Amino acid sequence: MKIRLLAGLLALGLAAVGCGGAKVDTSPSSSAAPAASGSSAATGTVKIAINPWVGYEASANVVAYLLKNELHYNVEMPEIKEQLAWEGFETGDVDVIIENWGHPDLKKKFIEEKKVAVEAGSTGNKGIIGWYVPKWMADKYPDITDYKNLNKYASLFKTSESSGKGQLLDGDPSYVTNDEALVKNLKLNYKVVTGGSEAALLKSATQAQEQQKALLFYFWTPHWLFDKVDLVRVNLPAWTEGCDADPKKVACDYPEMDLDKIVSKKFADTGGKAYELVKNFSWTNEDQNAVANDMTNNGLTGEQAAKKWIEANTAKWQAWIPK
């Protein structure tokens, strides 16, 4: 949420690592069936890492609900930041990363070199990271959405933390972003300030709209926030293939990404129907946003939100269940 990239997703009470007041169900199912031998699924348990944004949690909870209630596995859902989750493939602490935002460096290390992980196909979600301002600012200052004009408005974004410059607000420090390089290479009179969590970004965006406060911040889709707050994206230099290859020289926008799933090699080889379900899982940005919104704003736990979506979308998820 990154080249989570960066890169994701809260009724503004999100936990710093759990995103958004969203309540993650980490309890195992009481009815575990044995699975294929040789992986953590051999004891009927699947370990899905939980990364700190609510869209990820939404996907994880839907898959977990089906694993428990349709295939009768136990599911563990440890809260782990992105980098550490990949390391879990090697230690055996993680079977599944359900939503991966790019990470070519980690793919090279853990898939190509260490050979402890494999790709498991697209989630169906299209991920886009960018810089945003509240719509009222774009209406009042129409040229503010062109990065070339940001310096003209830098004083509007000054805060006590931005050292006399304009503030560009980022989220969880574990999110991989290009923002420091972009500010430097585009010669912008701004300082990147880390808000600390997805919750901080959501709170700032909501206040910016309600209180007419200036805000320039890093954010991403898919996310339910765009249904609640009117935001306008700032146009950075267009992304082209290879423009972000050197992290220190990045001077282009973030690309649209086809988000994918990563699993441990052992789980792929011996996870049986659990692995097949994870591989088959694919839904839309709208599907994810509906579950994430229920978790964040409608008082549902992850399990309750997943159950609600599953009951309303039988045809979609039945296609994921192994025959």
Side-chain angles (χ1 to χ4, degrees):
M1 8 301 238
K2 242 182 167 225
I3 290 179
R4 246 181 266 296
L5 271 169
L6 69 75
L9 69 305
L10 38 224
L12 314 183
L14 293 160
V17 295
C19 301
K23 307 174 188 117
V24 183
D25 176 33
T26 58
S27 61
S29 168
S30 59
S31 54
S37 62
S39 76
S40 62
T43 58
T45 298
V46 180
K47 302 173 184 177
I48 305 176
I50 297 296
N51 290 168
W53 61 94
V54 74
Y56 184 111
E57 293 180 17
S59 295
N61 273 282
V62 166
V63 171
Y65 189 93
L66 293 173
L67 284 168
K68 289 190 285 187
N69 293 283
E70 294 295 321
L71 299 183
H72 309 297
Y73 284 83
N74 283 337
V75 180
E76 295 179 4
M77 301 171 73
E79 296 181 354
I80 310 176
K81 299 291 179 82
E82 286 171 283
Q83 175 79 37
L84 293 176
W86 284 76
E87 294 175 6
F89 293 139
E90 191 169 21
T91 63
D93 294 327
V94 172
D95 292 319
V96 180
I97 290 175
I98 202 65
E99 181 178 286
N100 170 58
W101 286 70
H103 292 301
D105 55 335
L106 295 177
K107 285 186 175 182
K108 181 179 180 181
K109 179 178 180 180
F110 291 98
I111 295 177
E112 298 177 18
E113 297 174 358
K114 290 180 176 286
K115 301 185 187 303
V116 294
V118 298
E119 296 175 326
S122 172
T123 67
N125 297 131
K126 304 302 180 184
I128 304 175
I129 294 168
W131 294 359
Y132 292 88
V133 295
K135 185 176 182 296
W136 72 263
M137 293 196 76
D139 291 341
K140 187 172 182 179
Y141 313 105
D143 63 343
I144 202 171
T145 57
D146 184 338
Y147 82 94
K148 295 177 182 177
N149 298 316
L150 284 177
N151 282 345
K152 181 168 67 171
Y153 297 105
S155 62
L156 296 177
F157 298 101
K158 285 196 299 186
T159 71
S160 59
E161 299 178 73
S162 62
S163 304
K165 300 180 178 181
Q167 173 178 280
L168 170 59
L169 184 65
D170 274 14
D172 190 300
S174 71
Y175 296 169
V176 178
T177 80
N178 296 330
D179 290 352
E180 294 279 3
L182 284 167
V183 167
K184 178 181 178 181
N185 296 328
L186 296 178
K187 297 179 171 55
L188 299 177
N189 187 31
Y190 284 77
K191 179 181 178 180
V192 177
V193 175
T194 301
S197 66
E198 181 185 36
L201 295 179
L202 294 172
K203 181 177 181 180
S204 295
T206 302
Q207 289 180 341
Q209 175 169 276
E210 294 176 349
Q211 302 174 19
Q212 299 278 286
K213 295 176 64 175
L215 177 67
L216 174 66
F217 73 120
Y218 160 109
F219 211 66
W220 61 92
T221 60
H223 204 289
W224 58 261
L225 180 66
F226 291 91
D227 294 329
K228 304 291 185 181
V229 177
D230 290 328
L231 301 170
V232 178
R233 189 173 177 181
V234 173
N235 297 311
L236 299 174
W239 182 88
T240 57
E241 187 70 36
C243 71
D244 51 2
D246 185 339
K248 295 181 180 180
K249 296 181 179 180
V250 177
C252 60
D253 211 340
Y254 293 93
E256 176 177 319
M257 286 181 289
D258 184 16
L259 306 184
D260 61 351
K261 298 157 290 185
I262 309 295
V263 302
S264 74
K265 179 67 163 55
K266 185 178 290 186
F267 180 67
D269 289 343
T270 62
K273 289 187 175 182
Y275 167 67
E276 291 183 53
L277 172 60
V278 170
K279 187 175 181 180
N280 293 342
F281 167 70
S282 179
W283 63 351
T284 66
N285 285 13
E286 291 73 23
D287 291 326
Q288 186 184 93
N289 288 345
V291 177
N293 184 57
D294 277 338
M295 293 170 68
T296 303
N297 298 314
N298 295 331
L300 301 187
T301 65
E303 184 173 29
Q304 289 168 343
K307 182 175 186 289
K308 177 182 175 181
W309 184 90
I310 286 166
E311 289 177 345
N313 293 275
T314 304
K316 287 188 178 182
W317 64 261
Q318 282 186 339
W320 311 335
I321 302 298
K323 305 303 182 187

